[in-house]
Amino acid sequence: MEPAPRWLAGLRFDNRALRALPVETPPPGPEGAPSAPRPVPGACFSRARPEPLRRPRVVALSEPALALLGLDAPPAADAAAREAREAEAALFFSGNALLPGAEPAAHCYCGHQFGQFAGQLGDGAAMYLGEVCTEAGERWELQLKGAGPTPFSRQADGRKVLRSSIREFLCSEAMFHLGIPTTRAGSCVSSQSTVVRDAFYDGNPRPEPCAVVLRLAPTFLRFGSFEIFKPRDEHTGRAGPSVGRDDIRLQMLDYVISTFYPEIQASHPGDHVQRHAAFFREVTRRTARLVAEWQCVGFCHGVLNTDNMSIVGLTIDYGPFGFLDRYDPGHVCNASDTAGRYSYGKQPEVCRWNLQKLAEALDPALPLELAEAILAQEFDAEFGRHYLQKMRRKLGLVQTEQEGDGALVAQLLETMHLTGADFTNSFYLLSSFPAAPESPDLDEFLAALTAQCASLEELRLAFRPQMDPRQLAMMLMLAQSNPQLLALIGTRASLARELERVEQQSRLEQLSEAELHSKNRSRWAAWLHDYRARLEKDREASGDVATWQAERTRVMRANNPKYVLRNYIAQGAIEAAENGDFSEVRRVLKLLETPYGGEAEAAEPEGAAEASEVAAETSGAAGRRRSYSSKPPLWAAELCVT
């Protein structure tokens, strides 16, 4: 008999997805057979059951996310109530007990992974719990990530470890508070259960604690949900489990459009093709705006496979993500992405490619020719509009839009790239740029800005060669003798990046710190000259200088975050949590609730500003006692996320 919840007793489930879409009933067999890996044809879900963890314990709860479900926090002074709430969260949000009305199931989907169709994937480490309807009239799908094996776990165990769970939990909430569409995370629960993981795929596996994240979203359906109907792929030989089931594809489209795009359903009640076209057009626009938001905040997703793209335009599935530190359009945050397919600069192109795969998956319900015309018409235009609009706000251009604004932004990013400037901090500093002509504060501002540029030591570390010289020589010989083979084994991009590193290292060896500083200062001075001229035009369009200046500062402060979830910040929280101290996770979570400053300052470590200069060149615990808005320390460059 399941224990009765108290704090969670008011959650009302109405599991529409399981009523509207086909659900596989697990085949009969011995105990545990429902989670046995298998193809799941003719179904969108398969029943599942969470596996209990040993001694689950709450790492952190996100109050803003839980408030969406109508779950209010008790007063801070009521320690007993907070303790009872955490005990209940540990029990139900670990999967050790089920809430009344929950119907755990795993979703079946396919996906193109790194450009290749992978066949059936599905929720191998996540479980749909059900859909909670709130008094506010909202419907939230609840999901446990890391709750045990499902039919889609393949050779894995369905578990997630503490380090990856903390990263997903923190980043889900960080993205929301940055104003970027995202799934949410209500809780992170750790345990004394362990699994063995080889974190860096280097032959050094170790036991790690299991953890579960409670995720919330209107739906976790994704592009790959519609790829279960894909016929055998000519390159990989794989096919979806539900080939030929056009009836289920129509069923899914009807469910998705009526539930999540009701305005489209109402506008096209009788014409299926036009309804599907309007749906694809809206998904295209949302996806374009989403990736524009990522680019403007320096977010790299890391694994933009079609199975990690939300059908309602949310950021979904936080794995080896990262935020830019030193601006580099070629930055790859996922160490497993050796070809750089999902680099920061390629994200818009990849999202467009994924939409093409969605278009193919919707055919014939939406004729491919029509979908491709919509994609060509909408994506680039919507991305360009939204990106430039956001960048204007980041630069405080509040009065007028000018034809040269795109070029000004491009020149800014080129200046950042050439000087190795910190992406987040450089934009944040521009909020305090002295816009008045001949301002005496310009030298002081230039000094602050150039301090955000990469030092010689940082650049030498960033561009150090990755290949053994003999390996590089062999690759160069192969490039000359058999370029087709080099392309086939996928090392052409890696070779190009390695040659760039070697060339950069050679240049850096000839450069002194003083010369680097002088070059950086000159480059920034040139761009600031153009920026000031553009601000002057904006100011002239305003009737009142003081009002314009106040509005410019307000808009910039609201669009240039002071805090993002940098890898070194997440790593500090993870290391503390792995040692049993969850306070840093909670502190960082609180900080990320106000990324643009303000109340977040209270979460900064005491004395961090004074210690940051000393900490910048150190590692270990002492090196982590630094301001959360600092440039990352040197040791952060060694962090590897896969």
Side-chain angles (χ1 to χ4, degrees), residues 123-292:
D123 283 337
M127 289 186 200
Y128 166 103
L129 280 185
E131 299 158 56
V132 169
C133 296
T134 70
E135 290 184 2
E138 296 177 334
R139 174 182 293 269
W140 291 96
E141 180 180 325
L142 304 191
Q143 193 184 77
L144 295 181
K145 187 167 182 178
T150 75
F152 310 108
S153 298
R154 301 187 290 284
Q155 305 307 310
D157 51 29
R159 292 300 189 191
K160 290 295 177 183
V161 295
L162 183 59
R163 60 182 161 82
S164 62
S165 299
I166 287 173
R167 283 173 55 83
E168 169 140 15
F169 173 73
L170 289 175
C171 200
S172 300
E173 293 305 280
M175 292 289 272
F176 169 76
H177 292 292
L178 285 167
I180 298 172
T182 179
T183 58
R184 302 294 298 275
S187 67
C188 180
V189 176
S190 186
S191 72
Q192 290 186 1
S193 298
T194 60
V195 287
V196 175
R197 292 288 188 267
D198 186 351
F200 306 114
Y201 305 105
D202 60 359
N204 293 297
R206 66 180 178 94
E208 297 190 56
C210 296
V212 175
V213 174
L214 173 71
R215 306 201 300 183
L216 296 74
T219 180
F220 285 91
L221 295 182
R222 51 205 67 211
F223 290 10
S225 303
F226 288 93
E227 291 189 293
I228 62 174
F229 315 107
K230 180 176 169 55
R232 187 170 301 280
D233 185 83
E234 61 178 328
H235 301 294
T236 66
R238 295 179 175 136
S242 297
V243 178
R245 294 298 305 271
D246 290 352
D247 58 322
I248 299 179
R249 176 168 26 223
L250 288 171
Q251 202 174 343
M252 286 181 66
L253 280 165
D254 287 347
Y255 166 71
V256 169
I257 294 171
S258 64
T259 305
F260 308 111
Y261 297 91
E263 68 287 349
I264 291 175
Q265 179 81 10
S267 299
H268 305 280
D271 191 328
H272 288 274
V273 171
Q274 287 306 310
R275 182 160 71 241
H276 298 159
F279 159 68
F280 183 69
R281 187 183 303 276
E282 182 59 22
V283 174
T284 297
R285 289 173 174 169
R286 289 191 189 189
T287 304
R289 292 194 295 268
L290 178 67
V291 69

Side-chain angles (χ1 to χ4, degrees), residues 18 39 97 149 159 217 226 259 303 316 330 389 408 417 428 432 493 503 511 532 555 561 569 593 604:
L18 299 188
R159 292 300 189 191
F226 288 93
T259 305
V303 198
I316 190 172
Q389 181 185 52
L408 183 70
H417 191 202
Y428 187 77
S432 56
E503 187 179 339
L511 199 62
R532 175 171 275 171
V555 168
I569 296 174
E593 288 178 7
E604 283 270 31

Side-chain angles (χ1 to χ4, degrees), residues 392-414:
R392 283 192 178 106
R393 291 198 293 267
K394 288 175 77 70
L395 292 178
L397 305 176
V398 295
Q399 287 294 321
T400 62
E401 297 180 1
Q402 304 232 338
E403 192 175 330
D405 290 348
L408 183 70
V409 171
Q411 289 157 9
L412 167 61
L413 296 178
E414 179 66 8

Side-chain angles (χ1 to χ4, degrees), residues 37 81 88 309 312 345 416-417 490 500 573 595:
E88 195 167 311
M309 299 287 295
V312 291
M416 282 188 178
H417 191 202
E500 182 188 354

Side-chain angles (χ1 to χ4, degrees), residues 11 62 271 296 378 390:
L11 295 182
S62 170
D271 191 328
C296 289
E378 295 290 349
K390 181 77 174 180

Side-chain angles (χ1 to χ4, degrees), residues 33-64:
S35 65
R38 61 183 180 274
V40 179
C44 298
F45 288 92
S46 181
R47 301 284 181 182
R49 181 83 185 188
E51 282 196 354
L53 291 170
R54 276 195 309 117
R55 298 182 65 113
R57 179 185 172 196
V58 168
V59 176
L61 301 175
S62 170
E63 304 296 357

